[in-house]
């Protein structure tokens, strides 16, 4: 990748410049470009007070950084999410709290590093003994105390019944699956049993899962709530198995293998999927989000609903992540940098792009602040509220972004990133010039490498240690 600045690179992929990135269009044949994004600037002049917003936080599952057309995908069309980006802010340097499903959800729900809690050490949760302690305050429980209605629709993946559930951790309502993956039609999940629930009771519906979740979310945002609400809408799309609404027959074959005892092997679908099938899945996710946002508008709640769309970690087998290296489960950029969009028409202007490094725990702190809720003093947040930056034009303070997974460590400070790989080797990258992490500067800048390594180890010393695997 040429030595261009991070801001210049963000400009290349934004504002409908997909064709330029892919190199498939010429000036003579290219379609008219969409209006160009401008660098983010808070709307401070003439900003008037508004009611506390509704909050709609949408997670895709294993969606790679460049899997949306607004992030440069040359073959995937995501008009609804592109429209959401155009109506608000697109973040180029946004990150998940970890490199797999469960710990990222812990970081979002608690606002803290996953390693602060025993359940957060699972990468990801895979049995009934692990989960989010119901006594730990969450985004939902704290907003609920501040007067919000709360609901979670879709993938929970923070523990199984009988000990763990969204309804035990602050969400008034839950409709979805407890595990990390399920066959989209039979709803057979990662423990081999049926995994679609309303509250804590099984709910039978053998239609395509994304369709069911979309209907539930449409119903929720269409209600007359009478008070502000939080909806965590967690799709499993485009997580494996690689199935769309037309693949019921293929789903039945996977379900049969699960019943025969080959649970994870069947769900991982190593003998299926393709780039074309993955494209269909991402585009079906885009259509689902479009339906929910349309329902929000028809309910008259669009103006004062803060919508965030993100992915829980980087992409997997068929994801498009150029120019990033790596993917899900590792702390290279492709494993943790994720597409992230924000819209709040009442307070934030559209067609903007932000290059500030932010990650999952920041959203917890931000949503608590805009919702008028306070963090629990006994459980201090690791994230930093972005409200001052987004709403008042304040600069973000200098701070480090920290990640830890088994076999990898990473810390970002400004444009510099410290990374230790699975072989125990330390690397140093300058992300503004080398987003692909190919030019290792560890030997050239040993002092900086040592400084960032020490900063990582200082945070690590405050976390729970991993147990022997």
């Amino acid at each position: 990748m040429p030595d261009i600045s991070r801001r210049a690179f963000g400009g290349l992929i934004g504002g409908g410049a997909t064709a330029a990135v892919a190199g498939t269009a010429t000036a003579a044949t290219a379609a008219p470009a969409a209006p160009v994004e401008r660098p983010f600037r808070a709307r401070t002049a003439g900003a008037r007070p508004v009611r506390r917003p509704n909050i709609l936080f949408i997670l895709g599952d294993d969606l790679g950084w460049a899997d949306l057309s607004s992030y440069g995908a040359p073959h995937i069309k995501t008009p609804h999410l592109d429209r959401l980006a155009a109506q608000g802010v697109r973040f180029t340097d946004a990150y998940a709290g970890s490199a797999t499903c469960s710990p990222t959800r812990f970081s979002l729900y608690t606002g803290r590093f996953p390693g602060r809690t025993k359940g957060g050490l699972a990468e990801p949760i895979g049995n009934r003994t692990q989960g989010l302690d119901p006594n730990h305050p969450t985004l939902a429980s704290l907003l609920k105390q501040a007067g919000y209605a709360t609901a979670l629709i879709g993938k929970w993946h923070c523990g199984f019944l009988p000990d763990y559930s969204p309804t035990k951790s602050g969400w008034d309502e839950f409709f979805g699956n407890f595990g990390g993956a399920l066959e989209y039609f039979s709803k057979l999940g990662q423990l081999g049993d049926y995994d679609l629930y309303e509250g804590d009771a099984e709910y039978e519906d053998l239609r395509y899962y994304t369709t069911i979740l979309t209907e539930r979310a449409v119903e929720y945002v269409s209600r007359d709530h009478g008070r502000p609400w939080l909806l965590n809408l967690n799709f499993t799309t485009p997580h494996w198995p690689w199935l769309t609404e037309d693949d019921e027959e293929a789903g039945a074959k996977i379900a049969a293998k699960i019943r025969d005892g080959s649970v994870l092997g069947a769900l991982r679908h190593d003998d299926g999927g393709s780039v074309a099938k993955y494209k269909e899945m991402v585009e079906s996710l885009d259509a689902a989000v479009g339906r929910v946002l349309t329902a929000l508008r028809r309910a008259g709640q669009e103006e004062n609903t803060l919508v965030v769309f993100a992915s829980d970690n980087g992409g997997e087998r068929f994801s498009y992540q150029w120019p990033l290296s790596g993917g899900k489960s590792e702390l290279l950029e492709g494993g943790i940098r994720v597409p992230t969009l924000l819209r709040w028409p009442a307070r934030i202007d559209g067609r903007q792009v932000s290059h500030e490094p932010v990650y999952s725990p920041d959203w917890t702190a931000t949503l608590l602040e805009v919702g008028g809720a306070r963090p629990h003093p006994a459980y201090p947040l690791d994230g930093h509220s972005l409200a001052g930056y987004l709403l008042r034009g304040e600069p973000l303070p200098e701070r480090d972004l920290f990640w830890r997974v088994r076999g990898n460590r990473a810390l970002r400070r400004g444009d510099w990133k410290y990374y230790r790989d699975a072989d125990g080797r330390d690397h140093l990258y300058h992300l503004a010039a080398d987003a692909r992490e190919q030019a290792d500067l560890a030997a050239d800048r040993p002092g900086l490498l040592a400084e960032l390594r020490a900063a990582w180890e200082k945070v690590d010393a405050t976390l729970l240690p991993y147990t022997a695997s």
Side-chain angles (χ1 to χ4, degrees):
M1 182 180 177
D3 291 339
I4 57 176
S5 73
R6 182 172 29 131
R7 286 171 172 76
F9 177 72
L12 281 177
I13 64 171
T18 301
V21 174
T24 58
T26 65
T29 61
V36 176
E37 293 172 327
R38 61 181 176 84
F40 176 77
R41 180 175 297 176
R43 185 198 299 169
T44 54
R48 63 183 189 280
V50 297
R51 303 183 316 278
R52 291 183 299 165
N54 304 315
I55 298 167
L56 172 58
F57 201 108
I58 308 173
L59 273 182
D61 200 354
D62 292 2
L63 184 73
W65 183 77
D67 276 335
L68 307 183
S69 41
S70 55
Y71 280 80
H75 61 299
I76 303 174
K77 305 303 180 186
T78 53
H80 302 286
L81 287 165
D82 297 345
R83 188 175 304 114
L84 181 67
Q87 293 169 339
V89 186
R90 187 177 64 85
F91 290 81
T92 62
D93 288 42
Y95 293 88
S98 190
T100 53
C101 308
S102 293
T104 287
R105 291 161 204 271
F106 270 74
S107 73
L108 176 62
Y109 298 154
T110 69
R112 310 175 78 211
F113 298 134
R116 300 238 180 257
T117 61
K118 185 177 179 181
L121 298 177
E123 298 171 351
I125 285 175
N127 62 58
R128 296 190 187 277
T129 69
Q130 307 161 325
L132 175 57
D133 183 350
N135 296 311
H136 196 296
T138 64
L139 173 66
S141 69
L142 294 169
L143 284 173
K144 184 176 179 178
Q145 291 172 14
Y148 272 69
T150 59
L152 191 150
I153 295 174
K155 176 174 170 176
W156 164 240
H157 207 185
C158 287
F160 294 89
L161 292 173
D163 297 323
Y164 308 105
S165 170
T167 58
K168 299 178 187 294
S169 290
W171 282 270
D172 298 319
E173 303 177 35
F174 169 59
F175 180 87
N177 63 303
F178 284 96
L182 80 175
E183 193 278 301
Y184 281 79
F185 297 93
S186 69
K187 311 304 183 295
L188 295 179
Q190 73 179 87
L191 300 185
D193 51 9
Y194 189 81
D195 192 13
L196 177 58
Y197 286 77
E198 185 169 35
D200 294 345
E202 286 188 9
Y203 184 93
E204 185 175 355
D205 193 331
L206 301 182
R207 295 177 298 150
Y208 187 64
Y209 192 37
T210 306
T211 300
I212 300 169
L213 295 182
T214 305
E215 290 177 358
R216 282 291 178 136
V218 165
E219 187 277 327
Y220 189 86
V221 304
S222 300
R223 293 183 200 169
D224 183 7
H225 289 272
R227 55 178 171 147
W229 47 262
L230 163 72
L231 172 58
N232 289 98
L233 175 54
N234 299 345
F235 288 99
T236 55
T237 315
H239 194 291
W240 39 260
W242 317 106
L243 302 171
T244 65
E245 199 154 18
D246 298 327
D247 293 322
E248 190 168 359
E249 183 176 341
K253 293 179 181 178
I254 292 172
K257 293 178 182 179
I258 295 173
R259 293 188 183 99
D260 287 342
S262 178
V263 180
L264 287 181
L267 287 174
R268 284 189 57 84
H269 205 185
D270 289 332
D271 58 348
S274 64
V275 171
K277 182 58 62 179
Y278 184 79
K279 172 182 184 290
E280 290 182 51
M281 293 185 77
V282 176
E283 291 181 353
S284 75
L285 171 64
D286 178 73
V289 172
R291 286 186 59 192
V292 176
L293 296 179
T294 296
L296 187 71
R297 184 180 70 250
R298 290 175 175 170
Q301 300 186 76
E302 180 178 77
E303 180 73 10
N304 198 38
T305 297
L306 191 163
V307 179
V308 180
F309 175 88
S311 178
D312 61 347
N313 47 249
E316 238 213 28
R317 224 171 300 166
F318 303 111
S319 186
Y320 180 79
Q321 308 211 108
W322 181 262
L324 308 182
S325 290
K328 178 182 177 179
S329 300
E330 57 188 339
L331 296 180
L332 289 167
E333 291 292 284
I336 50 176
R337 199 190 294 201
V338 293
T340 301
L341 310 172
L342 168 72
R343 185 187 75 182
W344 186 7
R347 293 298 309 271
I348 294 173
D349 295 331
R351 296 212 176 276
Q352 300 195 84
V353 60
S354 172
H355 307 291
E356 295 291 343
V358 301
Y359 64 164
S360 301
D362 295 336
W363 294 116
T364 317
T366 304
L367 300 178
L368 290 176
E369 181 174 345
V370 301
R374 294 180 179 275
H376 193 294
Y379 300 88
L381 304 180
D382 290 310
H384 179 87
S385 175
L386 308 176
Y389 168 69
L390 293 170
L391 305 178
R392 299 185 292 274
E394 300 169 4
L396 285 178
E398 294 184 4
R399 45 56 180 276
D400 298 334
L401 273 60
F402 170 96
W403 296 270
R404 183 188 76 168
V405 303
R406 289 181 185 268
N408 274 194
R409 56 167 72 174
L411 181 138
R412 176 168 176 170
R413 177 179 294 175
D415 287 328
W416 289 99
K417 180 178 175 182
Y418 161 61
Y419 170 69
R420 176 173 288 183
D421 64 26
D423 295 323
R425 293 176 299 193
D426 287 342
H427 307 269
L428 182 67
Y429 300 111
H430 191 262
L431 296 177
D434 178 31
R436 195 160 174 75
E437 297 171 291
Q438 299 297 303
D440 185 3
L441 302 176
D444 296 341
R445 302 288 296 269
L448 179 59
L449 176 67
E451 182 180 338
L452 298 185
R453 179 170 55 230
W456 186 94
E457 291 172 348
K458 182 177 180 180
V459 175
D460 179 63
T462 70
L463 305 182
L464 297 175
Y466 287 115
T467 56
S469 56

